[in-house]
Amino acid sequence: MNVEAQTVNLSVAQVKEMFLYVGKQIIENKPLLTEVDSAIGDGDHGIGMSVGFSKAEEDLSQKECKSINDIFKTIGMSMINSMGGASGVIFGTLFTGGVKKLDAKETLDLQLMADIFEKSLEAIKTRGKASLGDKTMIDALEPAVEGLKESADKPVSLLEGLKNAEEKAAEGVESSKEYVAKFGRAKSLGERAIGHQDAGATTIWIIFKSMREWLEGSAANE
């Protein structure tokens, strides 16, 4: 497969490899996520995400995924079943919510990625009742989804779309420092939470950053 094709459409096997890479990056960033969460939260976000993505890696490695849908469902259910609590459900929904009622897909392009994560965002908002500015993962996810949609409308390559989403997510993480928390332990801190970024938003940024890194690295090796 040439570089151009690889950055436009990904096969089921490639998407699986991409998310295995994403999981490794999340696990490697456990100390960072723990540090960020310890400032205003319970300090367990990095541990929870590490547990969730470790289980996802185990399940993806053992499962024969026949569609893009299978990969997203496997990751999401691995998180829900292993992490427990609100984080497990919310981050599980990040993956299961986007492919719910979606016809089986054997390739992933920029438009499909934008569609999946837009549905994920809607599902998370419905389940968690949080909105942009509440100092949650949505502060990074919603800008990232807008970045994907803008890129898909142009259209540009999947790699360019992911670069845009990563940049928007990073801006969202920075913006989360300005917000008063509406959920979790940080809520009790009131304005004392201002100045600290949200841990869930940070994880979202790492996810999009890692997808971009994998795609760039994979293309460079062609």
Side-chain angles (χ1 to χ4, degrees), residues 107-157:
T107 59
L108 179 66
D109 60 15
L110 178 56
Q111 184 63 60
L112 180 58
M113 180 172 284
D115 291 343
I116 287 174
F117 280 108
E118 183 176 23
K119 289 180 181 176
S120 297
L121 175 63
E122 292 172 358
I124 290 170
K125 281 186 167 182
T126 299
R127 185 176 294 275
K129 311 300 182 188
S131 302
L132 191 69
D134 286 346
K135 212 176 187 75
T136 71
M137 65 187 290
I138 289 175
D139 294 335
L141 180 58
E142 187 161 322
V145 169
E146 290 302 317
L148 289 175
K149 290 167 61 179
E150 289 171 5
S151 299
D153 287 342
K154 289 182 178 178
V156 297
S157 70

Side-chain angles (χ1 to χ4, degrees), residues 2-4 6-7 159 213-222:
N2 61 38
V3 172
E4 182 179 0
Q6 195 168 35
T7 55
L159 179 58
E213 287 177 349
W214 180 88
L215 199 53
E216 274 190 336
S218 183
N221 291 328
E222 286 295 315

Side-chain angles (χ1 to χ4, degrees), residues 156-202:
V156 297
S157 70
L158 178 57
L159 179 58
E160 288 302 316
L162 283 175
K163 286 180 178 177
N164 194 20
E166 176 192 350
E167 183 178 329
K168 299 283 187 183
E171 292 172 359
V173 171
E174 193 64 25
S175 295
S176 74
K177 295 178 181 177
E178 303 170 4
Y179 304 141
V180 174
K182 301 288 181 61
F183 296 88
R185 180 175 177 273
K187 178 182 177 181
S188 65
L189 299 178
E191 293 190 352
R192 284 181 292 164
I194 294 176
H196 299 281
Q197 67 197 62
D198 179 71
T202 305

Side-chain angles (χ1 to χ4, degrees), residues 68-80:
I68 304 300
N69 314 51
D70 285 343
I71 295 170
F72 277 79
K73 286 179 184 175
T74 299
I75 298 171
M77 291 312 299
S78 298
M79 291 186 159
I80 292 170

Side-chain angles (χ1 to χ4, degrees), residues 41-63:
D42 296 327
D44 60 356
H45 182 74
I47 297 171
M49 295 311 304
S50 179
V51 168
F53 271 103
S54 293
K55 178 61 175 170
E57 178 182 11
E58 177 186 340
D59 291 345
L60 279 176
S61 298
Q62 295 176 353
K63 183 179 177 66

Side-chain angles (χ1 to χ4, degrees), residues 11-74:
S11 68
V12 173
Q14 287 175 314
V15 173
K16 185 174 179 178
E17 287 300 317
M18 179 173 71
F19 279 114
L20 286 172
Y21 176 82
V22 169
K24 287 179 181 176
Q25 301 312 303
I26 292 291
I27 293 167
E28 287 186 6
N29 278 282
K30 182 170 73 172
L32 168 65
L33 295 173
T34 297
E35 179 183 347
V36 169
D37 192 37
S38 295
I40 54 173
D42 296 327
D44 60 356
H45 182 74
I47 297 171
M49 295 311 304
S50 179
V51 168
F53 271 103
S54 293
K55 178 61 175 170
E57 178 182 11
E58 177 186 340
D59 291 345
L60 279 176
S61 298
Q62 295 176 353
K63 183 179 177 66
E64 181 184 357
C65 295
K66 296 182 178 179
S67 67
I68 304 300
N69 314 51
D70 285 343
I71 295 170
F72 277 79
K73 286 179 184 175
T74 299

